[in-house]
Amino acid sequence: MFLLLSCLSASAFPRLAPSHSYPAQTAPSRSAPSQAPIPGLPKTERTPPRTSNTEQYTLSEDRYEKAVAYSRAGYTLYFVSYAVSFAVLMLILRLGIAAKFRDFAERLAARRWLQGFIFVPLLLLACDICELPIRLYWHSLSLRYEQSVQRWGSWFLDWTKEEIVGTLFALILTLVLFAVMRRSPRRWWLFFWFAALPILLGIIYIGPWVIDPLFNHFEPLENEHPQLVADIQTLTQHAGVPIPRDRIFLMRASEKSNRMNAYVTGLGASKRVVIWDTTLQKTSNSEALSVIGHELGHYVLGHVWKGFLFGAVGLLVALYLVFRGLHWSLDRWGQDWKIYGTEDWAALASFLLLFQILMFFAAPVVNGISRLEEHAADVYGLEIIHGIVPNSEEVAAHTFQIMGESDLEDPNPSPFITFWLYSHPPLAERLVFAHSYDPWSKGQAPQYVKP
Protein backbone atom coordinates (compact mmCIF):
# COMPACT_ATOMS: atom_id res chain seq x y z
CA MET A 1 0.00 0.00 0.00
CA PHE A 2 0.99 3.59 -0.44
CA LEU A 3 2.82 3.61 2.87
CA LEU A 4 2.95 7.23 3.90
CA LEU A 5 -0.73 7.92 3.34
CA SER A 6 -1.83 4.67 4.94
CA CYS A 7 0.47 5.21 7.92
CA LEU A 8 -0.83 8.68 8.64
CA SER A 9 -4.49 8.39 7.75
CA ALA A 10 -5.08 4.93 9.18
CA SER A 11 -3.31 5.87 12.39
CA ALA A 12 -5.17 9.10 12.73
CA PHE A 13 -8.63 8.08 11.59
CA PRO A 14 -9.11 4.39 12.31
CA ARG A 15 -12.82 4.09 11.70
CA LEU A 16 -13.59 6.63 9.00
CA ALA A 17 -12.66 4.41 6.12
CA PRO A 18 -15.25 1.73 5.56
CA SER A 19 -13.77 -1.67 6.07
CA HIS A 20 -15.14 -5.10 6.75
CA SER A 21 -13.67 -6.45 9.96
CA TYR A 22 -12.03 -9.79 10.33
CA PRO A 23 -14.82 -12.21 11.18
CA ALA A 24 -15.01 -13.58 14.67
CA GLN A 25 -17.21 -16.09 16.40
CA THR A 26 -17.34 -17.90 19.70
CA ALA A 27 -18.61 -21.33 20.62
CA PRO A 28 -18.95 -22.56 17.04
CA SER A 29 -21.32 -25.35 16.21
CA ARG A 30 -21.32 -27.43 13.08
CA SER A 31 -24.88 -27.91 12.00
CA ALA A 32 -27.14 -27.95 9.02
CA PRO A 33 -27.07 -24.64 7.21
CA SER A 34 -29.62 -22.09 8.24
CA GLN A 35 -31.90 -20.54 5.67
CA ALA A 36 -29.25 -18.68 3.77
CA PRO A 37 -30.17 -16.65 0.69
CA ILE A 38 -30.03 -18.47 -2.60
CA PRO A 39 -28.62 -16.25 -5.36
CA GLY A 40 -30.82 -15.94 -8.40
CA LEU A 41 -34.19 -16.54 -6.72
CA PRO A 42 -36.78 -13.79 -6.54
CA LYS A 43 -36.81 -11.75 -3.36
CA THR A 44 -39.89 -13.50 -1.99
CA GLU A 45 -38.25 -16.90 -2.42
CA ARG A 46 -34.86 -15.80 -1.19
CA THR A 47 -36.16 -14.93 2.28
CA PRO A 48 -39.02 -17.33 3.04
CA PRO A 49 -40.93 -17.11 6.32
CA ARG A 50 -39.01 -18.63 9.21
CA THR A 51 -40.52 -20.70 11.97
CA SER A 52 -37.36 -21.29 14.03
CA ASN A 53 -35.26 -18.80 15.93
CA THR A 54 -31.73 -17.88 14.96
CA GLU A 55 -30.14 -18.29 18.37
CA GLN A 56 -26.52 -18.96 17.37
CA TYR A 57 -24.23 -18.76 14.40
CA THR A 58 -24.14 -22.09 12.58
CA LEU A 59 -22.49 -23.30 9.40
CA SER A 60 -22.72 -26.39 7.27
CA GLU A 61 -19.66 -28.64 7.28
CA ASP A 62 -18.50 -27.31 3.93
CA ARG A 63 -18.96 -23.64 4.82
CA TYR A 64 -17.34 -24.22 8.22
CA GLU A 65 -14.16 -25.60 6.67
CA LYS A 66 -14.03 -22.85 4.07
CA ALA A 67 -14.58 -20.12 6.66
CA VAL A 68 -11.78 -21.45 8.84
CA ALA A 69 -9.33 -21.80 5.96
CA TYR A 70 -10.14 -18.42 4.41
CA SER A 71 -10.02 -16.51 7.67
CA ARG A 72 -6.81 -18.09 8.90
CA ALA A 73 -5.15 -17.30 5.59
CA GLY A 74 -6.20 -13.68 6.12
CA TYR A 75 -4.76 -13.60 9.62
CA THR A 76 -1.49 -15.05 8.42
CA LEU A 77 -1.21 -12.60 5.54
CA TYR A 78 -1.91 -9.69 7.89
CA PHE A 79 1.14 -10.45 10.01
CA VAL A 80 3.22 -11.47 7.00
CA SER A 81 2.42 -8.17 5.28
CA TYR A 82 3.73 -6.21 8.27
CA ALA A 83 6.84 -8.40 8.44
CA VAL A 84 7.47 -7.85 4.73
CA SER A 85 6.94 -4.12 5.10
CA PHE A 86 9.43 -3.96 7.97
CA ALA A 87 11.96 -6.08 6.04
CA VAL A 88 11.62 -4.02 2.85
CA LEU A 89 12.13 -0.70 4.63
CA MET A 90 15.09 -2.09 6.58
CA LEU A 91 16.71 -3.32 3.36
CA ILE A 92 16.07 0.00 1.66
CA LEU A 93 17.90 1.69 4.53
CA ARG A 94 20.72 -0.79 5.09
CA LEU A 95 21.52 -1.27 1.39
CA GLY A 96 21.58 2.48 0.87
CA ILE A 97 18.71 2.38 -1.63
CA ALA A 98 17.00 5.37 -0.02
CA ALA A 99 20.26 7.31 -0.29
CA LYS A 100 20.58 6.34 -3.96
CA PHE A 101 17.04 7.54 -4.64
CA ARG A 102 17.95 10.82 -2.93
CA ASP A 103 21.14 11.23 -4.97
CA PHE A 104 19.19 10.51 -8.16
CA ALA A 105 16.59 13.14 -7.28
CA GLU A 106 19.27 15.70 -6.45
CA ARG A 107 21.01 15.09 -9.77
CA LEU A 108 17.81 15.65 -11.73
CA ALA A 109 16.53 18.71 -9.86
CA ALA A 110 18.19 21.58 -8.04
CA ARG A 111 15.08 22.81 -6.25
CA ARG A 112 14.25 20.88 -3.12
CA TRP A 113 10.51 20.61 -3.74
CA LEU A 114 11.17 19.19 -7.20
CA GLN A 115 13.47 16.61 -5.63
CA GLY A 116 10.52 15.55 -3.50
CA PHE A 117 8.42 14.97 -6.61
CA ILE A 118 11.07 12.50 -7.75
CA PHE A 119 12.14 10.89 -4.49
CA VAL A 120 8.75 10.24 -2.84
CA PRO A 121 7.14 8.32 -5.76
CA LEU A 122 10.33 6.28 -6.19
CA LEU A 123 10.40 5.24 -2.54
CA LEU A 124 6.69 4.46 -2.30
CA LEU A 125 6.62 2.54 -5.57
CA ALA A 126 9.61 0.45 -4.50
CA CYS A 127 7.86 -0.46 -1.23
CA ASP A 128 4.54 -1.19 -2.87
CA ILE A 129 6.02 -3.38 -5.59
CA CYS A 130 7.78 -5.46 -2.96
CA GLU A 131 4.48 -5.92 -1.13
CA LEU A 132 2.52 -6.60 -4.31
CA PRO A 133 2.92 -10.42 -4.19
CA ILE A 134 1.04 -10.54 -0.89
CA ARG A 135 -1.83 -8.56 -2.32
CA LEU A 136 -1.88 -10.73 -5.44
CA TYR A 137 -2.03 -13.86 -3.33
CA TRP A 138 -4.84 -12.49 -1.19
CA HIS A 139 -6.90 -11.63 -4.27
CA SER A 140 -6.31 -15.10 -5.68
CA LEU A 141 -7.59 -16.56 -2.39
CA SER A 142 -10.64 -14.30 -2.51
CA LEU A 143 -11.38 -15.57 -6.00
CA ARG A 144 -10.85 -19.20 -4.98
CA TYR A 145 -13.23 -18.86 -2.04
CA GLU A 146 -15.72 -16.87 -4.14
CA GLN A 147 -15.50 -13.76 -2.01
CA SER A 148 -14.38 -11.75 -5.02
CA VAL A 149 -15.51 -11.80 -8.64
CA GLN A 150 -13.17 -9.06 -9.81
CA ARG A 151 -11.16 -9.97 -12.88
CA TRP A 152 -7.41 -9.49 -12.82
CA GLY A 153 -7.46 -6.65 -15.33
CA SER A 154 -9.90 -4.69 -13.20
CA TRP A 155 -7.90 -5.52 -10.09
CA PHE A 156 -4.66 -4.18 -11.58
CA LEU A 157 -6.48 -1.07 -12.72
CA ASP A 158 -7.68 -0.45 -9.16
CA TRP A 159 -4.17 -1.08 -7.84
CA THR A 160 -2.81 1.49 -10.29
CA LYS A 161 -5.44 4.01 -9.21
CA GLU A 162 -4.50 3.39 -5.58
CA GLU A 163 -0.87 4.05 -6.38
CA ILE A 164 -1.64 7.30 -8.17
CA VAL A 165 -4.09 8.64 -5.59
CA GLY A 166 -2.04 7.46 -2.62
CA THR A 167 1.19 8.85 -4.02
CA LEU A 168 -0.46 12.20 -4.70
CA PHE A 169 -1.69 12.64 -1.14
CA ALA A 170 1.49 11.17 0.33
CA LEU A 171 3.52 13.64 -1.72
CA ILE A 172 1.53 16.56 -0.32
CA LEU A 173 1.99 15.34 3.24
CA THR A 174 5.69 14.64 2.74
CA LEU A 175 6.42 18.05 1.25
CA VAL A 176 4.69 19.67 4.20
CA LEU A 177 6.55 17.40 6.63
CA PHE A 178 10.01 18.25 5.30
CA ALA A 179 9.21 21.96 4.99
CA VAL A 180 8.25 21.97 8.66
CA MET A 181 11.36 19.97 9.57
CA ARG A 182 13.56 22.60 7.99
CA ARG A 183 11.77 25.46 9.75
CA SER A 184 11.67 23.85 13.20
CA PRO A 185 14.00 20.87 13.71
CA ARG A 186 12.91 20.40 17.34
CA ARG A 187 9.17 21.12 17.08
CA TRP A 188 8.36 19.75 13.65
CA TRP A 189 6.26 16.93 15.10
CA LEU A 190 3.86 19.45 16.67
CA PHE A 191 3.70 21.86 13.73
CA PHE A 192 3.29 19.02 11.25
CA TRP A 193 0.40 17.72 13.37
CA PHE A 194 -1.33 21.09 13.05
CA ALA A 195 -0.73 21.07 9.29
CA ALA A 196 -1.65 17.42 8.69
CA LEU A 197 -5.03 17.48 10.44
CA PRO A 198 -6.78 19.81 7.97
CA ILE A 199 -5.18 17.97 5.04
CA LEU A 200 -6.39 14.59 6.25
CA LEU A 201 -9.74 16.08 7.17
CA GLY A 202 -9.99 17.41 3.63
CA ILE A 203 -9.21 13.98 2.21
CA ILE A 204 -12.01 12.45 4.29
CA TYR A 205 -14.37 15.25 3.26
CA ILE A 206 -13.81 14.89 -0.48
CA GLY A 207 -13.47 11.10 -0.39
CA PRO A 208 -17.13 10.24 -1.12
CA TRP A 209 -17.22 12.71 -4.00
CA VAL A 210 -13.79 12.32 -5.57
CA ILE A 211 -11.99 9.17 -4.40
CA ASP A 212 -14.68 6.52 -3.85
CA PRO A 213 -16.20 6.86 -7.36
CA LEU A 214 -12.80 6.01 -8.84
CA PHE A 215 -13.19 2.45 -7.54
CA ASN A 216 -16.93 1.77 -7.39
CA HIS A 217 -20.17 2.93 -8.93
CA PHE A 218 -22.63 4.77 -6.67
CA GLU A 219 -26.19 5.87 -7.27
CA PRO A 220 -29.08 7.04 -5.12
CA LEU A 221 -30.72 4.07 -3.42
CA GLU A 222 -34.09 5.55 -4.30
CA ASN A 223 -33.56 4.83 -7.99
CA GLU A 224 -34.12 1.10 -7.57
CA HIS A 225 -35.44 0.71 -4.03
CA PRO A 226 -37.92 3.52 -3.33
CA GLN A 227 -39.85 1.48 -0.77
CA LEU A 228 -36.67 0.72 1.18
CA VAL A 229 -35.78 4.41 1.17
CA ALA A 230 -39.25 5.20 2.49
CA ASP A 231 -38.73 2.66 5.27
CA ILE A 232 -35.34 4.16 6.04
CA GLN A 233 -36.97 7.58 6.25
CA THR A 234 -39.33 6.15 8.86
CA LEU A 235 -36.30 5.01 10.87
CA THR A 236 -34.51 8.34 10.60
CA GLN A 237 -37.64 10.27 11.59
CA HIS A 238 -38.07 7.94 14.55
CA ALA A 239 -34.45 8.71 15.47
CA GLY A 240 -35.10 12.43 15.25
CA VAL A 241 -32.25 12.94 12.78
CA PRO A 242 -33.72 12.76 9.29
CA ILE A 243 -31.14 11.80 6.69
CA PRO A 244 -31.98 13.35 3.30
CA ARG A 245 -32.96 10.78 0.69
CA ASP A 246 -30.17 12.00 -1.54
CA ARG A 247 -27.60 10.98 1.11
CA ILE A 248 -28.57 7.30 1.03
CA PHE A 249 -26.57 5.52 -1.69
CA LEU A 250 -26.36 2.12 -3.32
CA MET A 251 -22.89 0.84 -4.21
CA ARG A 252 -22.53 -1.65 -7.07
CA ALA A 253 -20.29 -3.96 -5.09
CA SER A 254 -21.47 -7.03 -7.02
CA GLU A 255 -19.30 -5.94 -9.96
CA LYS A 256 -16.28 -6.93 -7.86
CA SER A 257 -17.37 -8.75 -4.73
CA ASN A 258 -19.78 -11.27 -3.25
CA ARG A 259 -19.38 -9.89 0.27
CA MET A 260 -22.01 -7.91 2.18
CA ASN A 261 -21.46 -4.51 3.72
CA ALA A 262 -22.82 -1.06 4.48
CA TYR A 263 -21.11 1.96 5.98
CA VAL A 264 -21.22 5.62 6.91
CA THR A 265 -18.60 7.88 5.35
CA GLY A 266 -17.74 11.51 4.78
CA LEU A 267 -18.03 14.64 6.89
CA GLY A 268 -20.47 17.51 6.81
CA ALA A 269 -22.00 17.94 3.38
CA SER A 270 -20.29 14.77 2.11
CA LYS A 271 -21.63 12.56 4.90
CA ARG A 272 -23.69 9.66 3.60
CA VAL A 273 -24.98 6.17 4.27
CA VAL A 274 -23.93 3.56 1.71
CA ILE A 275 -25.32 0.06 1.35
CA TRP A 276 -23.85 -2.53 -1.01
CA ASP A 277 -26.12 -4.07 -3.62
CA THR A 278 -24.87 -7.50 -2.52
CA THR A 279 -26.47 -6.86 0.86
CA LEU A 280 -29.82 -6.12 -0.75
CA GLN A 281 -29.54 -9.16 -3.01
CA LYS A 282 -29.17 -11.49 -0.03
CA THR A 283 -31.59 -9.97 2.47
CA SER A 284 -35.23 -8.97 2.72
CA ASN A 285 -36.22 -5.35 3.22
CA SER A 286 -36.66 -5.95 6.95
CA GLU A 287 -33.19 -7.47 7.21
CA ALA A 288 -31.72 -4.63 5.17
CA LEU A 289 -33.34 -2.20 7.62
CA SER A 290 -31.50 -3.88 10.49
CA VAL A 291 -28.24 -3.24 8.65
CA ILE A 292 -29.21 0.36 7.97
CA GLY A 293 -30.21 0.76 11.61
CA HIS A 294 -26.69 -0.17 12.65
CA GLU A 295 -25.17 2.33 10.23
CA LEU A 296 -27.66 4.94 11.39
CA GLY A 297 -26.26 4.35 14.86
CA HIS A 298 -22.81 5.42 13.69
CA TYR A 299 -24.41 8.47 12.09
CA VAL A 300 -26.46 9.50 15.14
CA LEU A 301 -23.89 8.64 17.82
CA GLY A 302 -21.26 10.79 16.11
CA HIS A 303 -18.71 8.05 15.65
CA VAL A 304 -17.09 9.77 12.68
CA TRP A 305 -16.26 12.88 14.70
CA LYS A 306 -15.33 10.87 17.77
CA GLY A 307 -13.02 8.79 15.61
CA PHE A 308 -11.50 11.96 14.23
CA LEU A 309 -10.80 13.37 17.70
CA PHE A 310 -9.39 10.08 18.96
CA GLY A 311 -7.26 9.76 15.85
CA ALA A 312 -6.00 13.32 16.19
CA VAL A 313 -4.75 12.60 19.70
CA GLY A 314 -3.23 9.31 18.56
CA LEU A 315 -1.49 11.00 15.65
CA LEU A 316 0.04 13.62 17.94
CA VAL A 317 1.43 10.94 20.24
CA ALA A 318 2.69 8.92 17.29
CA LEU A 319 4.45 11.90 15.73
CA TYR A 320 6.21 12.70 18.98
CA LEU A 321 7.39 9.10 19.35
CA VAL A 322 8.58 9.10 15.75
CA PHE A 323 10.42 12.36 16.39
CA ARG A 324 12.28 10.75 19.29
CA GLY A 325 12.85 7.50 17.42
CA LEU A 326 14.05 9.23 14.29
CA HIS A 327 16.79 11.12 16.14
CA TRP A 328 17.82 7.97 18.00
CA SER A 329 17.96 5.78 14.89
CA LEU A 330 19.83 8.33 12.78
CA ASP A 331 22.32 9.03 15.54
CA ARG A 332 23.02 5.30 15.72
CA TRP A 333 22.81 4.16 12.08
CA GLY A 334 22.54 7.33 10.00
CA GLN A 335 26.15 7.14 8.82
CA ASP A 336 25.76 3.50 7.74
CA TRP A 337 22.55 4.37 5.89
CA LYS A 338 24.20 7.46 4.32
CA ILE A 339 21.51 9.71 5.79
CA TYR A 340 22.78 13.11 6.87
CA GLY A 341 19.98 14.25 9.16
CA THR A 342 16.23 14.36 9.64
CA GLU A 343 15.89 16.85 6.77
CA ASP A 344 17.52 14.43 4.33
CA TRP A 345 14.99 12.99 1.87
CA ALA A 346 16.36 9.51 2.60
CA ALA A 347 15.23 9.90 6.23
CA LEU A 348 11.68 9.37 4.99
CA ALA A 349 12.35 5.62 4.85
CA SER A 350 13.26 5.64 8.54
CA PHE A 351 10.19 7.77 9.29
CA LEU A 352 7.96 5.22 7.54
CA LEU A 353 9.58 2.29 9.31
CA LEU A 354 9.00 3.85 12.73
CA PHE A 355 5.41 4.73 11.84
CA GLN A 356 4.73 1.19 10.66
CA ILE A 357 6.03 -0.20 13.94
CA LEU A 358 3.79 2.17 15.91
CA MET A 359 0.78 1.28 13.76
CA PHE A 360 1.35 -2.41 14.32
CA PHE A 361 1.48 -2.17 18.11
CA ALA A 362 -1.34 0.38 18.24
CA ALA A 363 -3.70 -1.94 16.37
CA PRO A 364 -5.17 -3.62 19.49
CA VAL A 365 -5.99 -0.23 21.02
CA VAL A 366 -7.51 1.16 17.83
CA ASN A 367 -9.52 -1.99 17.19
CA GLY A 368 -10.62 -2.21 20.82
CA ILE A 369 -12.13 1.28 20.64
CA SER A 370 -13.71 0.42 17.30
CA ARG A 371 -15.34 -2.69 18.80
CA LEU A 372 -16.93 -0.54 21.49
CA GLU A 373 -18.35 1.79 18.85
CA GLU A 374 -19.58 -1.12 16.75
CA HIS A 375 -21.36 -2.62 19.75
CA ALA A 376 -22.97 0.74 20.49
CA ALA A 377 -24.15 0.88 16.87
CA ASP A 378 -25.57 -2.64 17.25
CA VAL A 379 -27.54 -1.55 20.32
CA TYR A 380 -28.79 1.55 18.54
CA GLY A 381 -29.76 -0.45 15.46
CA LEU A 382 -31.81 -2.90 17.54
CA GLU A 383 -33.55 -0.08 19.36
CA ILE A 384 -34.37 1.97 16.30
CA ILE A 385 -36.03 -0.90 14.41
CA HIS A 386 -37.98 -2.11 17.46
CA GLY A 387 -41.68 -1.52 16.88
CA ILE A 388 -41.08 -0.77 13.20
CA VAL A 389 -39.75 -4.12 12.00
CA PRO A 390 -41.87 -7.07 13.20
CA ASN A 391 -39.93 -9.58 15.32
CA SER A 392 -36.96 -7.23 15.09
CA GLU A 393 -34.60 -9.21 17.33
CA GLU A 394 -34.96 -12.34 15.20
CA VAL A 395 -34.64 -10.33 12.00
CA ALA A 396 -31.35 -8.79 13.19
CA ALA A 397 -30.01 -12.15 14.39
CA HIS A 398 -30.84 -13.84 11.09
CA THR A 399 -29.18 -10.99 9.20
CA PHE A 400 -25.94 -11.79 11.03
CA GLN A 401 -26.40 -15.44 10.08
CA ILE A 402 -26.76 -14.53 6.42
CA MET A 403 -23.69 -12.30 6.63
CA GLY A 404 -21.64 -15.05 8.26
CA GLU A 405 -22.54 -17.64 5.64
CA SER A 406 -22.01 -15.24 2.76
CA ASP A 407 -18.74 -13.71 3.94
CA LEU A 408 -17.22 -16.91 5.37
CA GLU A 409 -16.96 -15.45 8.85
CA ASP A 410 -14.47 -17.40 10.95
CA PRO A 411 -16.34 -19.81 13.28
CA ASN A 412 -13.57 -20.08 15.87
CA PRO A 413 -10.90 -17.36 16.06
CA SER A 414 -8.54 -17.30 19.00
CA PRO A 415 -8.92 -14.60 21.68
CA PHE A 416 -5.57 -13.18 20.60
CA ILE A 417 -6.74 -12.74 17.00
CA THR A 418 -9.93 -11.08 18.19
CA PHE A 419 -7.94 -8.78 20.48
CA TRP A 420 -5.38 -7.82 17.86
CA LEU A 421 -7.25 -7.74 14.57
CA TYR A 422 -10.98 -7.35 14.95
CA SER A 423 -12.55 -3.92 14.57
CA HIS A 424 -16.01 -5.46 15.20
CA PRO A 425 -17.21 -7.69 18.02
CA PRO A 426 -17.27 -11.43 17.22
CA LEU A 427 -20.14 -12.13 14.86
CA ALA A 428 -21.56 -14.94 17.01
CA GLU A 429 -21.62 -12.62 20.00
CA ARG A 430 -23.39 -10.00 17.93
CA LEU A 431 -25.94 -12.56 16.78
CA VAL A 432 -26.65 -13.83 20.31
CA PHE A 433 -26.87 -10.28 21.61
CA ALA A 434 -29.30 -9.28 18.84
CA HIS A 435 -31.49 -12.28 19.57
CA SER A 436 -31.58 -11.69 23.32
CA TYR A 437 -31.61 -7.88 23.61
CA ASP A 438 -35.07 -6.98 24.88
CA PRO A 439 -35.13 -4.27 27.57
CA TRP A 440 -38.78 -3.49 26.78
CA SER A 441 -40.16 -6.79 28.09
CA LYS A 442 -38.05 -6.40 31.22
CA GLY A 443 -39.42 -2.95 31.99
CA GLN A 444 -36.02 -1.36 31.33
CA ALA A 445 -35.36 1.81 29.35
CA PRO A 446 -33.57 1.48 26.01
CA GLN A 447 -30.04 2.85 26.04
CA TYR A 448 -30.29 5.26 23.11
CA VAL A 449 -33.75 5.42 21.52
CA LYS A 450 -36.21 6.55 24.15
CA PRO A 451 -39.94 5.90 23.69
Side-chain angles (χ1 to χ4, degrees):
M1 277 263 183
F2 30 92
L3 289 174
L4 183 60
L5 183 64
S6 63
C7 282
L8 291 176
S9 61
S11 176
F13 310 104
R15 79 163 315 283
L16 298 186
S19 62
H20 194 78
S21 67
Y22 282 105
Q25 275 62 285
T26 58
S29 61
R30 303 189 185 205
S31 68
S34 64
Q35 291 190 56
I38 303 173
L41 292 183
K43 176 71 78 174
T44 54
E45 292 184 71
R46 184 164 55 245
T47 54
R50 296 181 296 276
T51 57
S52 61
N53 290 335
T54 309
E55 297 182 358
Q56 62 180 348
Y57 176 50
T58 59
L59 291 173
S60 67
E61 188 77 16
D62 177 62
R63 298 301 285 180
Y64 180 93
E65 293 177 356
K66 287 182 177 179
V68 169
Y70 182 70
S71 299
R72 290 181 179 176
Y75 307 149
T76 301
L77 286 180
Y78 172 87
F79 290 104
V80 169
S81 66
Y82 265 105
V84 170
S85 177
F86 298 153
V88 168
L89 286 167
M90 281 301 302
L91 286 174
I92 285 175
L93 287 167
R94 296 197 64 176
L95 298 178
I97 296 174
K100 292 177 181 178
F101 286 164
R102 174 206 60 211
D103 295 341
F104 177 73
E106 290 177 347
R107 285 196 300 270
L108 289 184
R111 294 183 178 274
R112 185 169 174 80
W113 65 272
L114 286 177
Q115 295 169 4
F117 272 84
I118 300 169
F119 175 84
V120 174
L122 277 176
L123 178 63
L124 298 184
L125 185 60
C127 293
D128 292 349
I129 288 177
C130 290
E131 296 172 8
L132 183 58
I134 294 176
R135 297 193 60 186
L136 292 172
Y137 181 64
W138 179 244
H139 184 60
S140 69
L141 281 178
S142 298
L143 290 171
R144 184 192 310 172
Y145 286 92
E146 299 179 331
Q147 295 300 290
S148 175
V149 294
Q150 187 177 19
R151 296 180 180 273
W152 283 106
S154 172
W155 188 92
F156 274 107
L157 179 60
D158 279 353
W159 183 82
T160 303
K161 292 176 184 177
E162 285 183 14
E163 290 299 303
I164 295 172
V165 173
T167 300
L168 174 63
F169 288 124
L171 183 59
I172 294 171
L173 288 167
T174 304
L175 290 176
V176 172
L177 171 65
F178 278 83
V180 172
M181 281 181 170
R182 296 185 70 184
R183 293 292 184 91
S184 180
R186 298 191 60 82
R187 295 287 183 269
W188 62 260
W189 56 275
L190 179 61
F191 296 131
F192 177 66
W193 180 74
F194 281 117
L197 286 182
I199 295 174
L200 294 172
L201 191 63
I203 294 172
I204 297 167
Y205 180 77
I206 69 172
W209 292 330
V210 178
I211 302 174
D212 293 351
L214 294 174
F215 301 94
N216 292 286
H217 177 68
F218 297 84
E219 59 188 59
L221 181 62
E222 190 173 23
N223 289 356
E224 292 189 9
H225 301 275
Q227 182 56 51
L228 179 58
V229 172
D231 293 339
I232 293 172
Q233 292 284 290
T234 301
L235 288 185
T236 60
Q237 290 169 7
H238 181 43
V241 285
I243 299 177
R245 301 168 80 95
D246 60 0
R247 289 202 185 188
I248 306 173
F249 284 83
L250 178 72
M251 189 182 99
R252 296 292 183 185
S254 60
E255 298 172 357
K256 299 178 181 180
S257 176
N258 285 325
R259 298 179 69 84
M260 298 168 56
N261 203 359
Y263 60 89
V264 173
T265 187
L267 294 171
S270 70
K271 198 172 189 178
R272 59 184 60 187
V273 175
V274 178
I275 186 166
W276 291 12
D277 64 344
T278 49
T279 301
L280 299 183
Q281 291 167 7
K282 299 176 183 181
T283 60
S284 66
N285 268 21
S286 293
E287 290 161 342
L289 280 178
S290 73
V291 176
I292 292 295
H294 171 94
E295 299 308 324
L296 181 61
H298 288 309
Y299 197 101
V300 174
L301 299 176
H303 287 164
V304 172
W305 278 107
K306 290 177 182 177
F308 173 81
L309 294 176
F310 164 71
V313 173
L315 179 60
L316 179 62
V317 173
L319 285 171
Y320 177 74
L321 293 176
V322 169
F323 162 75
R324 303 290 295 186
L326 194 60
H327 280 279
W328 174 79
S329 62
L330 294 184
D331 287 344
R332 186 164 185 175
W333 296 297
Q335 187 173 359
D336 295 336
W337 296 342
K338 300 178 182 178
I339 299 176
Y340 307 122
T342 56
E343 301 173 27
D344 189 335
W345 286 117
L348 180 62
S350 181
F351 181 97
L352 289 175
L353 177 61
L354 292 167
F355 228 114
Q356 285 280 62
I357 293 172
L358 287 176
M359 281 185 63
F360 179 75
F361 288 104
V365 176
V366 173
N367 286 328
I369 293 174
S370 178
R371 285 195 299 273
L372 293 176
E373 290 186 337
E374 294 297 336
H375 177 69
D378 280 346
V379 173
Y380 186 94
L382 290 166
E383 293 179 356
I384 198 65
I385 66 174
H386 180 77
I388 296 176
V389 174
N391 199 12
S392 57
E393 292 83 5
E394 165 60 19
V395 167
H398 190 260
T399 303
F400 284 125
Q401 174 67 36
I402 294 173
M403 185 180 299
E405 292 185 357
S406 171
D407 294 0
L408 292 179
E409 301 279 0
D410 184 359
N412 192 26
S414 69
F416 169 76
I417 289 295
T418 302
F419 165 75
W420 201 279
L421 294 181
Y422 285 32
S423 61
H424 291 59
L427 185 135
E429 291 181 7
R430 298 175 75 187
L431 188 155
V432 171
F433 178 81
H435 191 271
S436 61
Y437 184 69
D438 188 12
W440 304 275
S441 66
K442 302 173 184 177
Q444 300 172 352
Q447 186 172 351
Y448 299 113
V449 182
K450 306 303 179 183

